[in-house]
Amino acid sequence: MDSLYVLIPVALLFVVIAVAVFFFAVRSDQFEDLERQGMNILLDDQAPTKPHSDKTSASDDDSNEHTDER
């Protein structure tokens, strides 16, 4: 029973923090245009790279491919 005297204020503190974070997010326009971010994933196509015929540049292409995969 004594633990309620600690847990109730801690719970109220969490509620106050959650409400403050929510209002901060609303004021900083984090909920504006929710569909654009979802559509960016679908429309983010990169142009295919052209294969090079030089053997000397093939090793450079391999290193570039690893960097592009990130």
Short mmCIF file of all heavy atoms in Angstrom, two decimals:
data_model
loop_
_atom_site.label_atom_id
_atom_site.label_comp_id
_atom_site.label_asym_id
_atom_site.label_seq_id
_atom_site.Cartn_x
_atom_site.Cartn_y
_atom_site.Cartn_z
N MET A 1 0.82 -1.20 0.00
CA MET A 1 0.00 0.00 0.00
C MET A 1 0.85 1.25 0.00
O MET A 1 0.47 2.25 -0.61
CB MET A 1 -0.91 -0.04 1.23
CG MET A 1 -1.86 1.09 1.32
SD MET A 1 -3.13 0.91 0.04
CE MET A 1 -4.09 2.31 0.38
N ASP A 2 2.00 1.16 0.65
CA ASP A 2 2.88 2.33 0.69
C ASP A 2 3.48 2.63 -0.68
O ASP A 2 3.86 3.78 -0.94
CB ASP A 2 4.00 2.12 1.71
CG ASP A 2 3.47 2.10 3.13
OD1 ASP A 2 2.40 2.70 3.37
OD2 ASP A 2 4.13 1.49 4.00
N SER A 3 3.55 1.59 -1.52
CA SER A 3 4.15 1.82 -2.85
C SER A 3 3.27 2.71 -3.72
O SER A 3 3.75 3.34 -4.66
CB SER A 3 4.42 0.49 -3.54
OG SER A 3 3.20 -0.18 -3.75
N LEU A 4 1.97 2.77 -3.42
CA LEU A 4 1.08 3.65 -4.19
C LEU A 4 1.44 5.12 -4.02
O LEU A 4 1.25 5.92 -4.94
CB LEU A 4 -0.37 3.43 -3.79
CG LEU A 4 -0.98 2.11 -4.24
CD1 LEU A 4 -2.40 1.98 -3.72
CD2 LEU A 4 -0.95 2.01 -5.74
N TYR A 5 1.98 5.46 -2.87
CA TYR A 5 2.36 6.86 -2.64
C TYR A 5 3.53 7.25 -3.54
O TYR A 5 3.75 8.45 -3.77
CB TYR A 5 2.73 7.08 -1.17
CG TYR A 5 1.54 6.90 -0.24
CD1 TYR A 5 1.54 5.92 0.75
CD2 TYR A 5 0.41 7.71 -0.37
CE1 TYR A 5 0.46 5.75 1.58
CE2 TYR A 5 -0.68 7.54 0.46
CZ TYR A 5 -0.65 6.55 1.43
OH TYR A 5 -1.74 6.39 2.25
N VAL A 6 4.27 6.30 -4.00
CA VAL A 6 5.38 6.58 -4.90
C VAL A 6 4.93 6.41 -6.35
O VAL A 6 5.29 7.21 -7.22
CB VAL A 6 6.58 5.64 -4.60
CG1 VAL A 6 7.69 5.84 -5.60
CG2 VAL A 6 7.07 5.87 -3.18
N LEU A 7 4.16 5.35 -6.62
CA LEU A 7 3.81 5.04 -8.00
C LEU A 7 2.83 6.04 -8.62
O LEU A 7 2.91 6.33 -9.82
CB LEU A 7 3.22 3.63 -8.09
CG LEU A 7 4.21 2.50 -7.80
CD1 LEU A 7 3.52 1.16 -7.85
CD2 LEU A 7 5.36 2.54 -8.78
N ILE A 8 1.91 6.56 -7.85
CA ILE A 8 0.95 7.52 -8.41
C ILE A 8 1.64 8.81 -8.86
O ILE A 8 1.42 9.27 -9.98
CB ILE A 8 -0.21 7.77 -7.43
CG1 ILE A 8 -1.08 6.52 -7.36
CG2 ILE A 8 -1.04 8.98 -7.87
CD1 ILE A 8 -2.19 6.58 -6.34
N PRO A 9 2.51 9.41 -8.05
CA PRO A 9 3.21 10.60 -8.57
C PRO A 9 4.12 10.29 -9.75
O PRO A 9 4.25 11.10 -10.67
CB PRO A 9 4.03 11.09 -7.37
CG PRO A 9 3.34 10.54 -6.19
CD PRO A 9 2.75 9.24 -6.61
N VAL A 10 4.75 9.11 -9.75
CA VAL A 10 5.60 8.74 -10.89
C VAL A 10 4.74 8.59 -12.14
O VAL A 10 5.12 9.05 -13.23
CB VAL A 10 6.38 7.45 -10.59
CG1 VAL A 10 7.05 6.92 -11.84
CG2 VAL A 10 7.40 7.69 -9.49
N ALA A 11 3.57 7.98 -12.03
CA ALA A 11 2.67 7.84 -13.17
C ALA A 11 2.19 9.20 -13.66
O ALA A 11 2.13 9.44 -14.87
CB ALA A 11 1.48 6.95 -12.79
N LEU A 12 1.86 10.09 -12.75
CA LEU A 12 1.45 11.44 -13.15
C LEU A 12 2.59 12.18 -13.85
O LEU A 12 2.37 12.93 -14.81
CB LEU A 12 0.95 12.22 -11.94
CG LEU A 12 -0.37 11.72 -11.34
CD1 LEU A 12 -0.70 12.49 -10.07
CD2 LEU A 12 -1.49 11.86 -12.35
N LEU A 13 3.81 11.96 -13.36
CA LEU A 13 4.97 12.58 -14.01
C LEU A 13 5.12 12.08 -15.44
O LEU A 13 5.38 12.87 -16.37
CB LEU A 13 6.24 12.31 -13.20
CG LEU A 13 7.52 12.89 -13.78
CD1 LEU A 13 7.48 14.41 -13.74
CD2 LEU A 13 8.71 12.35 -13.04
N PHE A 14 4.95 10.77 -15.66
CA PHE A 14 5.03 10.22 -17.01
C PHE A 14 3.94 10.79 -17.91
O PHE A 14 4.17 11.05 -19.10
CB PHE A 14 4.96 8.70 -17.00
CG PHE A 14 6.22 8.04 -16.53
CD1 PHE A 14 6.16 6.85 -15.84
CD2 PHE A 14 7.46 8.59 -16.78
CE1 PHE A 14 7.31 6.21 -15.41
CE2 PHE A 14 8.61 7.97 -16.36
CZ PHE A 14 8.54 6.78 -15.66
N VAL A 15 2.75 10.97 -17.39
CA VAL A 15 1.65 11.53 -18.18
C VAL A 15 1.98 12.97 -18.58
O VAL A 15 1.77 13.36 -19.73
CB VAL A 15 0.32 11.44 -17.40
CG1 VAL A 15 -0.75 12.27 -18.08
CG2 VAL A 15 -0.12 9.99 -17.27
N VAL A 16 2.51 13.74 -17.64
CA VAL A 16 2.86 15.13 -17.95
C VAL A 16 3.95 15.18 -19.02
O VAL A 16 3.88 15.99 -19.96
CB VAL A 16 3.30 15.87 -16.66
CG1 VAL A 16 3.93 17.21 -16.98
CG2 VAL A 16 2.11 16.04 -15.74
N ILE A 17 4.94 14.30 -18.91
CA ILE A 17 6.01 14.27 -19.91
C ILE A 17 5.45 13.86 -21.28
O ILE A 17 5.80 14.46 -22.31
CB ILE A 17 7.14 13.32 -19.46
CG1 ILE A 17 7.88 13.92 -18.28
CG2 ILE A 17 8.10 13.03 -20.60
CD1 ILE A 17 8.87 13.00 -17.62
N ALA A 18 4.58 12.87 -21.31
CA ALA A 18 4.00 12.42 -22.59
C ALA A 18 3.18 13.52 -23.23
O ALA A 18 3.25 13.74 -24.45
CB ALA A 18 3.16 11.17 -22.37
N VAL A 19 2.40 14.24 -22.44
CA VAL A 19 1.59 15.33 -22.99
C VAL A 19 2.49 16.45 -23.50
O VAL A 19 2.23 17.03 -24.58
CB VAL A 19 0.59 15.83 -21.92
CG1 VAL A 19 -0.07 17.13 -22.36
CG2 VAL A 19 -0.47 14.77 -21.65
N ALA A 20 3.56 16.75 -22.78
CA ALA A 20 4.49 17.79 -23.22
C ALA A 20 5.16 17.39 -24.54
O ALA A 20 5.31 18.22 -25.44
CB ALA A 20 5.53 18.06 -22.14
N VAL A 21 5.56 16.15 -24.66
CA VAL A 21 6.19 15.68 -25.91
C VAL A 21 5.18 15.73 -27.06
O VAL A 21 5.53 16.11 -28.17
CB VAL A 21 6.77 14.26 -25.72
CG1 VAL A 21 7.17 13.64 -27.05
CG2 VAL A 21 7.96 14.30 -24.79
N PHE A 22 3.94 15.36 -26.79
CA PHE A 22 2.91 15.42 -27.83
C PHE A 22 2.70 16.83 -28.32
O PHE A 22 2.69 17.10 -29.53
CB PHE A 22 1.60 14.84 -27.29
CG PHE A 22 0.47 14.97 -28.26
CD1 PHE A 22 0.39 14.18 -29.39
CD2 PHE A 22 -0.53 15.92 -28.04
CE1 PHE A 22 -0.65 14.32 -30.29
CE2 PHE A 22 -1.58 16.06 -28.93
CZ PHE A 22 -1.63 15.26 -30.06
N PHE A 23 2.56 17.78 -27.41
CA PHE A 23 2.35 19.16 -27.84
C PHE A 23 3.59 19.73 -28.53
O PHE A 23 3.48 20.53 -29.46
CB PHE A 23 1.91 20.04 -26.67
CG PHE A 23 0.46 19.87 -26.35
CD1 PHE A 23 0.06 19.25 -25.19
CD2 PHE A 23 -0.51 20.31 -27.24
CE1 PHE A 23 -1.28 19.08 -24.90
CE2 PHE A 23 -1.85 20.14 -26.97
CZ PHE A 23 -2.24 19.53 -25.80
N PHE A 24 4.78 19.31 -28.11
CA PHE A 24 6.00 19.74 -28.81
C PHE A 24 5.99 19.22 -30.24
O PHE A 24 6.33 19.96 -31.17
CB PHE A 24 7.24 19.23 -28.07
CG PHE A 24 8.50 19.44 -28.85
CD1 PHE A 24 9.08 20.71 -28.93
CD2 PHE A 24 9.11 18.40 -29.52
CE1 PHE A 24 10.24 20.91 -29.66
CE2 PHE A 24 10.27 18.60 -30.25
CZ PHE A 24 10.84 19.85 -30.31
N ALA A 25 5.58 17.98 -30.43
CA ALA A 25 5.55 17.39 -31.78
C ALA A 25 4.51 18.09 -32.65
O ALA A 25 4.75 18.33 -33.83
CB ALA A 25 5.27 15.90 -31.70
N VAL A 26 3.37 18.44 -32.07
CA VAL A 26 2.33 19.12 -32.84
C VAL A 26 2.79 20.52 -33.23
O VAL A 26 2.61 20.95 -34.37
CB VAL A 26 1.01 19.17 -32.04
CG1 VAL A 26 0.01 20.10 -32.70
CG2 VAL A 26 0.44 17.77 -31.92
N ARG A 27 3.41 21.22 -32.33
CA ARG A 27 3.86 22.59 -32.63
C ARG A 27 5.02 22.63 -33.60
O ARG A 27 5.21 23.62 -34.30
CB ARG A 27 4.25 23.31 -31.34
CG ARG A 27 3.06 23.67 -30.51
CD ARG A 27 3.44 24.48 -29.32
NE ARG A 27 2.25 24.77 -28.53
CZ ARG A 27 2.26 25.45 -27.43
NH1 ARG A 27 3.40 25.94 -26.98
NH2 ARG A 27 1.15 25.68 -26.78
N SER A 28 5.83 21.58 -33.64
CA SER A 28 6.96 21.57 -34.58
C SER A 28 6.58 20.93 -35.91
O SER A 28 7.46 20.56 -36.69
CB SER A 28 8.15 20.84 -33.97
OG SER A 28 7.83 19.48 -33.75
N ASP A 29 5.27 20.80 -36.18
CA ASP A 29 4.73 20.32 -37.47
C ASP A 29 5.19 18.91 -37.83
O ASP A 29 5.43 18.60 -38.99
CB ASP A 29 5.08 21.27 -38.60
CG ASP A 29 4.47 22.63 -38.41
OD1 ASP A 29 3.40 22.69 -37.78
OD2 ASP A 29 5.05 23.62 -38.88
N GLN A 30 5.33 18.04 -36.86
CA GLN A 30 5.73 16.67 -37.16
C GLN A 30 4.57 15.85 -37.70
O GLN A 30 4.79 14.79 -38.26
CB GLN A 30 6.27 16.01 -35.89
CG GLN A 30 7.44 16.74 -35.34
CD GLN A 30 8.54 15.80 -34.94
OE1 GLN A 30 8.39 14.59 -34.99
NE2 GLN A 30 9.65 16.37 -34.56
N PHE A 31 3.35 16.34 -37.54
CA PHE A 31 2.20 15.61 -38.04
C PHE A 31 1.65 16.21 -39.33
O PHE A 31 0.58 15.84 -39.77
CB PHE A 31 1.10 15.56 -36.96
CG PHE A 31 1.52 14.82 -35.75
CD1 PHE A 31 1.77 15.48 -34.56
CD2 PHE A 31 1.69 13.45 -35.79
CE1 PHE A 31 2.17 14.79 -33.43
CE2 PHE A 31 2.09 12.75 -34.67
CZ PHE A 31 2.33 13.42 -33.50
N GLU A 32 2.37 17.15 -39.91
CA GLU A 32 1.95 17.74 -41.17
C GLU A 32 2.35 16.83 -42.32
O GLU A 32 3.47 16.31 -42.35
CB GLU A 32 2.63 19.11 -41.37
CG GLU A 32 2.17 20.14 -40.38
CD GLU A 32 0.73 20.56 -40.62
OE1 GLU A 32 0.32 20.66 -41.79
OE2 GLU A 32 0.04 20.80 -39.62
N ASP A 33 1.48 16.65 -43.25
CA ASP A 33 1.73 15.89 -44.47
C ASP A 33 2.30 14.50 -44.19
O ASP A 33 3.44 14.19 -44.53
CB ASP A 33 2.67 16.68 -45.40
CG ASP A 33 2.63 16.15 -46.81
OD1 ASP A 33 1.73 15.36 -47.13
OD2 ASP A 33 3.52 16.53 -47.59
N LEU A 34 1.52 13.67 -43.57
CA LEU A 34 1.96 12.33 -43.20
C LEU A 34 2.10 11.41 -44.41
O LEU A 34 2.86 10.44 -44.38
CB LEU A 34 0.98 11.71 -42.21
CG LEU A 34 0.90 12.40 -40.86
CD1 LEU A 34 -0.19 11.77 -40.02
CD2 LEU A 34 2.23 12.33 -40.14
N GLU A 35 1.42 11.70 -45.50
CA GLU A 35 1.45 10.82 -46.67
C GLU A 35 2.71 11.00 -47.51
O GLU A 35 3.14 10.08 -48.18
CB GLU A 35 0.23 11.06 -47.54
CG GLU A 35 -1.06 10.65 -46.86
CD GLU A 35 -2.25 10.87 -47.75
OE1 GLU A 35 -2.06 11.15 -48.95
OE2 GLU A 35 -3.37 10.77 -47.24
N ARG A 36 3.33 12.17 -47.47
CA ARG A 36 4.50 12.43 -48.32
C ARG A 36 5.66 11.50 -47.96
O ARG A 36 6.33 10.97 -48.83
CB ARG A 36 4.94 13.88 -48.19
CG ARG A 36 6.11 14.24 -49.08
CD ARG A 36 6.43 15.71 -48.98
NE ARG A 36 6.62 16.15 -47.61
CZ ARG A 36 7.80 16.29 -47.02
NH1 ARG A 36 8.88 16.03 -47.69
NH2 ARG A 36 7.90 16.68 -45.78
N GLN A 37 5.93 11.30 -46.68
CA GLN A 37 7.05 10.45 -46.28
C GLN A 37 6.82 9.01 -46.70
O GLN A 37 7.75 8.31 -47.11
CB GLN A 37 7.26 10.53 -44.77
CG GLN A 37 7.70 11.90 -44.31
CD GLN A 37 9.02 12.32 -44.92
OE1 GLN A 37 9.90 11.50 -45.14
NE2 GLN A 37 9.15 13.59 -45.24
N GLY A 38 5.59 8.54 -46.65
CA GLY A 38 5.30 7.19 -47.09
C GLY A 38 5.44 7.04 -48.59
O GLY A 38 5.89 6.01 -49.09
N MET A 39 5.08 8.07 -49.34
CA MET A 39 5.19 8.02 -50.80
C MET A 39 6.65 8.15 -51.25
O MET A 39 7.01 7.65 -52.31
CB MET A 39 4.36 9.13 -51.43
CG MET A 39 2.88 8.93 -51.24
SD MET A 39 2.28 7.39 -51.95
CE MET A 39 2.37 7.77 -53.67
N ASN A 40 7.50 8.82 -50.48
CA ASN A 40 8.91 8.94 -50.86
C ASN A 40 9.58 7.59 -50.94
O ASN A 40 10.46 7.38 -51.77
CB ASN A 40 9.64 9.83 -49.85
CG ASN A 40 9.36 11.28 -50.09
OD1 ASN A 40 8.86 11.66 -51.13
ND2 ASN A 40 9.66 12.10 -49.10
N ILE A 41 9.20 6.67 -50.10
CA ILE A 41 9.79 5.33 -50.14
C ILE A 41 9.41 4.63 -51.43
O ILE A 41 10.23 3.98 -52.06
CB ILE A 41 9.32 4.52 -48.92
CG1 ILE A 41 9.87 5.13 -47.65
CG2 ILE A 41 9.72 3.07 -49.05
CD1 ILE A 41 9.32 4.53 -46.40
N LEU A 42 8.18 4.79 -51.87
CA LEU A 42 7.72 4.11 -53.08
C LEU A 42 8.27 4.76 -54.34
O LEU A 42 8.49 4.10 -55.35
CB LEU A 42 6.20 4.12 -53.12
CG LEU A 42 5.51 3.37 -51.99
CD1 LEU A 42 4.02 3.57 -52.07
CD2 LEU A 42 5.87 1.91 -52.04
N LEU A 43 8.48 6.07 -54.32
CA LEU A 43 8.89 6.78 -55.53
C LEU A 43 10.39 7.03 -55.61
O LEU A 43 10.86 7.64 -56.56
CB LEU A 43 8.16 8.12 -55.61
CG LEU A 43 6.64 8.01 -55.65
CD1 LEU A 43 6.02 9.38 -55.60
CD2 LEU A 43 6.20 7.24 -56.87
N ASP A 44 11.15 6.59 -54.64
CA ASP A 44 12.58 6.84 -54.60
C ASP A 44 13.31 5.80 -55.43
O ASP A 44 13.87 4.85 -54.92
CB ASP A 44 13.07 6.82 -53.16
CG ASP A 44 14.50 7.29 -53.06
OD1 ASP A 44 14.93 8.04 -53.94
OD2 ASP A 44 15.17 6.91 -52.10
N ASP A 45 13.31 5.99 -56.75
CA ASP A 45 14.02 5.09 -57.65
C ASP A 45 15.32 5.74 -58.07
O ASP A 45 15.35 6.90 -58.46
CB ASP A 45 13.19 4.79 -58.89
CG ASP A 45 11.97 3.96 -58.57
OD1 ASP A 45 12.03 3.22 -57.58
OD2 ASP A 45 10.98 4.06 -59.31
N GLN A 46 16.39 4.96 -58.02
CA GLN A 46 17.67 5.46 -58.47
C GLN A 46 17.90 4.96 -59.89
O GLN A 46 17.51 3.86 -60.25
CB GLN A 46 18.79 4.96 -57.58
CG GLN A 46 18.68 5.49 -56.18
CD GLN A 46 19.81 4.97 -55.31
OE1 GLN A 46 20.57 4.14 -55.74
NE2 GLN A 46 19.89 5.47 -54.11
N ALA A 47 18.57 5.81 -60.70
CA ALA A 47 18.87 5.43 -62.08
C ALA A 47 19.89 4.29 -62.07
O ALA A 47 20.82 4.29 -61.28
CB ALA A 47 19.43 6.62 -62.82
N PRO A 48 19.70 3.28 -62.95
CA PRO A 48 20.67 2.18 -63.00
C PRO A 48 22.01 2.67 -63.50
O PRO A 48 22.08 3.56 -64.36
CB PRO A 48 20.03 1.18 -63.95
CG PRO A 48 19.08 1.97 -64.76
CD PRO A 48 18.61 3.11 -63.90
N THR A 49 23.07 2.11 -62.98
CA THR A 49 24.42 2.52 -63.39
C THR A 49 24.81 1.76 -64.64
O THR A 49 24.41 0.63 -64.86
CB THR A 49 25.43 2.24 -62.27
OG1 THR A 49 25.40 0.84 -62.00
CG2 THR A 49 25.09 3.01 -61.02
N LYS A 50 25.60 2.44 -65.48
CA LYS A 50 26.05 1.83 -66.72
C LYS A 50 27.28 0.98 -66.43
O LYS A 50 28.18 1.41 -65.72
CB LYS A 50 26.41 2.92 -67.73
CG LYS A 50 25.24 3.72 -68.17
CD LYS A 50 25.67 4.76 -69.18
CE LYS A 50 24.49 5.59 -69.63
NZ LYS A 50 24.90 6.64 -70.56
N PRO A 51 27.35 -0.22 -67.04
CA PRO A 51 28.57 -1.03 -66.85
C PRO A 51 29.70 -0.47 -67.69
O PRO A 51 29.50 -0.02 -68.82
CB PRO A 51 28.14 -2.42 -67.33
CG PRO A 51 26.99 -2.16 -68.23
CD PRO A 51 26.31 -0.92 -67.75
N HIS A 52 30.92 -0.48 -67.14
CA HIS A 52 32.09 0.02 -67.84
C HIS A 52 32.79 -1.14 -68.52
O HIS A 52 32.84 -2.25 -68.02
CB HIS A 52 33.06 0.68 -66.85
CG HIS A 52 32.49 1.93 -66.25
ND1 HIS A 52 32.54 3.13 -66.90
CD2 HIS A 52 31.85 2.14 -65.09
CE1 HIS A 52 31.95 4.05 -66.14
NE2 HIS A 52 31.52 3.47 -65.04
N SER A 53 33.37 -0.84 -69.72
CA SER A 53 34.07 -1.87 -70.46
C SER A 53 35.54 -1.97 -70.07
O SER A 53 36.20 -2.94 -70.38
CB SER A 53 33.95 -1.62 -71.96
OG SER A 53 34.54 -0.37 -72.26
N ASP A 54 36.12 -0.97 -69.39
CA ASP A 54 37.53 -0.99 -68.99
C ASP A 54 37.72 -1.94 -67.81
O ASP A 54 36.96 -1.93 -66.86
CB ASP A 54 37.99 0.41 -68.57
CG ASP A 54 37.98 1.35 -69.75
OD1 ASP A 54 37.94 0.88 -70.89
OD2 ASP A 54 38.03 2.57 -69.52
N LYS A 55 38.80 -2.73 -67.93
CA LYS A 55 39.09 -3.64 -66.82
C LYS A 55 39.71 -2.88 -65.65
O LYS A 55 39.57 -3.27 -64.50
CB LYS A 55 40.05 -4.73 -67.27
CG LYS A 55 39.41 -5.72 -68.22
CD LYS A 55 40.36 -6.82 -68.57
CE LYS A 55 39.68 -7.81 -69.51
NZ LYS A 55 40.56 -8.93 -69.85
N THR A 56 40.42 -1.79 -65.95
CA THR A 56 41.05 -1.03 -64.88
C THR A 56 40.01 -0.32 -64.04
O THR A 56 40.17 -0.18 -62.84
CB THR A 56 42.04 0.00 -65.43
OG1 THR A 56 41.34 0.85 -66.35
CG2 THR A 56 43.19 -0.68 -66.16
N SER A 57 38.94 0.08 -64.67
CA SER A 57 37.93 0.79 -63.90
C SER A 57 36.96 -0.18 -63.23
O SER A 57 36.14 0.24 -62.43
CB SER A 57 37.16 1.75 -64.79
OG SER A 57 36.47 1.04 -65.78
N ALA A 58 37.05 -1.48 -63.55
CA ALA A 58 36.15 -2.45 -62.93
C ALA A 58 36.37 -2.54 -61.44
O ALA A 58 35.43 -2.68 -60.66
CB ALA A 58 36.33 -3.82 -63.58
N SER A 59 37.65 -2.46 -61.02
CA SER A 59 37.89 -2.52 -59.58
C SER A 59 37.34 -1.28 -58.90
O SER A 59 36.88 -1.34 -57.76
CB SER A 59 39.39 -2.65 -59.30
OG SER A 59 40.06 -1.51 -59.80
N ASP A 60 37.37 -0.14 -59.60
CA ASP A 60 36.78 1.07 -59.03
C ASP A 60 35.26 0.93 -58.92
O ASP A 60 34.65 1.41 -57.98
CB ASP A 60 37.12 2.29 -59.88
CG ASP A 60 38.60 2.60 -59.87
OD1 ASP A 60 39.26 2.22 -58.88
OD2 ASP A 60 39.08 3.23 -60.83
N ASP A 61 34.66 0.27 -59.93
CA ASP A 61 33.22 0.08 -59.89
C ASP A 61 32.80 -0.81 -58.72
O ASP A 61 31.77 -0.59 -58.10
CB ASP A 61 32.71 -0.54 -61.18
CG ASP A 61 32.83 0.41 -62.36
OD1 ASP A 61 32.91 1.64 -62.10
OD2 ASP A 61 32.83 -0.06 -63.50
N ASP A 62 33.62 -1.82 -58.44
CA ASP A 62 33.30 -2.69 -57.31
C ASP A 62 33.29 -1.92 -56.01
O ASP A 62 32.44 -2.12 -55.15
CB ASP A 62 34.29 -3.85 -57.22
CG ASP A 62 34.12 -4.81 -58.38
OD1 ASP A 62 33.03 -4.82 -58.98
OD2 ASP A 62 35.08 -5.55 -58.66
N SER A 63 34.27 -1.03 -55.86
CA SER A 63 34.31 -0.25 -54.62
C SER A 63 33.15 0.73 -54.57
O SER A 63 32.62 1.02 -53.50
CB SER A 63 35.64 0.49 -54.49
OG SER A 63 35.77 1.42 -55.55
N ASN A 64 32.72 1.25 -55.75
CA ASN A 64 31.59 2.17 -55.77
C ASN A 64 30.28 1.45 -55.48
O ASN A 64 29.37 2.02 -54.89
CB ASN A 64 31.49 2.88 -57.12
CG ASN A 64 32.59 3.87 -57.31
OD1 ASN A 64 33.17 4.34 -56.34
ND2 ASN A 64 32.91 4.19 -58.55
N GLU A 65 30.18 0.19 -55.92
CA GLU A 65 28.95 -0.55 -55.66
C GLU A 65 28.74 -0.78 -54.19
O GLU A 65 27.62 -0.70 -53.69
CB GLU A 65 28.98 -1.89 -56.38
CG GLU A 65 28.84 -1.78 -57.87
CD GLU A 65 28.91 -3.13 -58.54
OE1 GLU A 65 28.93 -4.15 -57.83
OE2 GLU A 65 28.94 -3.16 -59.77
N HIS A 66 29.82 -1.02 -53.48
CA HIS A 66 29.68 -1.24 -52.04
C HIS A 66 29.25 0.04 -51.34
O HIS A 66 28.51 -0.01 -50.37
CB HIS A 66 30.98 -1.75 -51.44
CG HIS A 66 31.34 -3.12 -51.94
ND1 HIS A 66 30.59 -4.21 -51.63
CD2 HIS A 66 32.33 -3.54 -52.75
CE1 HIS A 66 31.11 -5.27 -52.22
NE2 HIS A 66 32.18 -4.89 -52.92
N THR A 67 29.73 1.17 -51.84
CA THR A 67 29.36 2.43 -51.19
C THR A 67 27.93 2.80 -51.54
O THR A 67 27.27 3.45 -50.75
CB THR A 67 30.30 3.56 -51.60
OG1 THR A 67 30.28 3.67 -53.02
CG2 THR A 67 31.71 3.29 -51.12
N ASP A 68 27.43 2.40 -52.75
CA ASP A 68 26.07 2.74 -53.13
C ASP A 68 25.03 1.92 -52.38
O ASP A 68 23.88 2.32 -52.25
CB ASP A 68 25.87 2.54 -54.63
CG ASP A 68 26.67 3.53 -55.47
OD1 ASP A 68 27.03 4.58 -54.93
OD2 ASP A 68 26.90 3.25 -56.64
N GLU A 69 25.40 0.75 -51.90
CA GLU A 69 24.45 -0.12 -51.23
C GLU A 69 24.05 0.40 -49.86
O GLU A 69 23.07 -0.05 -49.30
CB GLU A 69 25.03 -1.52 -51.09
CG GLU A 69 25.20 -2.20 -52.42
CD GLU A 69 25.82 -3.56 -52.26
OE1 GLU A 69 26.16 -3.95 -51.15
OE2 GLU A 69 25.97 -4.24 -53.28
N ARG A 70 24.80 1.32 -49.34
CA ARG A 70 24.45 1.84 -48.02
C ARG A 70 23.20 2.57 -48.14
O ARG A 70 22.28 2.75 -47.77
CB ARG A 70 25.52 2.77 -47.48
CG ARG A 70 26.73 2.01 -47.06
CD ARG A 70 27.68 2.92 -46.38
NE ARG A 70 28.69 3.29 -47.38
CZ ARG A 70 29.48 4.33 -47.31
NH1 ARG A 70 29.43 5.14 -46.31
NH2 ARG A 70 30.35 4.62 -48.23
#
